[in-house]
Amino acid sequence: MMEHLTKENLESTIADTKGLIMIDFFSPKCVPCMALMPDVEKLAEEKKDEATFFAFDTTGNMRTAMKQKVMGIPAYLFYRDGEKVATLGKDILEDKGMAAVTEKLDELTAKA
């Protein structure tokens, strides 16, 4: 299970976590977000040795999400040692689904 971040610990978690992390920006009211979530949790379990996975509920926290340049959900942001290295937004996720996430994760872990 992915740890859920809050507006109080989002930025510090990004800054303090070493290695590759992926944050799932979602809302329980977002149908595509909730459709992808079981697959994201499965991927997080499969790839837990390669990256750390978190989730951030944007409900009531959109301003915090926008500080990370999240303009729509679902969105998956990837950081390495506190620096953003990739973003997967709504358009590519609706087009390619989890294949886009797996592909990006493989690409980022291959460079490590």
Side-chain angles (χ1 to χ4, degrees):
M1 179 132 185
M2 296 188 303
E3 180 182 343
H4 284 239
L5 301 176
T6 65
K7 65 181 177 184
E8 288 79 19
N9 69 3
L10 176 69
E11 290 183 10
S12 63
T13 299
I14 292 169
D16 297 342
T17 304
K18 297 296 177 201
L20 183 65
I21 67 173
M22 184 186 105
I23 304 176
D24 174 3
F25 287 82
F26 75 100
S27 167
K29 294 179 181 176
C30 165
V31 173
C33 298
M34 299 316 290
L36 288 168
M37 189 165 280
D39 291 330
V40 172
E41 289 183 349
K42 182 178 173 190
L43 181 69
E45 183 61 30
E46 291 172 359
K47 302 281 188 178
K48 66 183 176 187
D49 294 334
E50 299 171 41
T52 305
F53 295 82
F54 298 100
F56 182 79
D57 184 350
T58 60
T59 306
N61 296 312
M62 204 56 206
R63 185 172 294 169
T64 302
M66 288 175 72
K67 286 175 72 177
Q68 299 300 320
K69 308 245 186 290
V70 173
M71 299 301 161
I73 54 173
Y76 302 127
L77 276 59
F78 299 84
Y79 300 84
R80 186 185 312 276
D81 300 329
E83 298 293 323
K84 190 186 306 180
V85 293
T87 300
L88 292 177
K90 180 180 175 181
D91 293 341
I92 194 162
L93 291 170
E94 285 182 350
D95 187 41
K96 295 180 74 177
M98 283 305 294
V101 181
T102 303
E103 186 177 296
K104 182 57 72 181
L105 199 56
D106 287 347
E107 175 190 319
L108 292 171
T109 54
K111 289 180 181 176

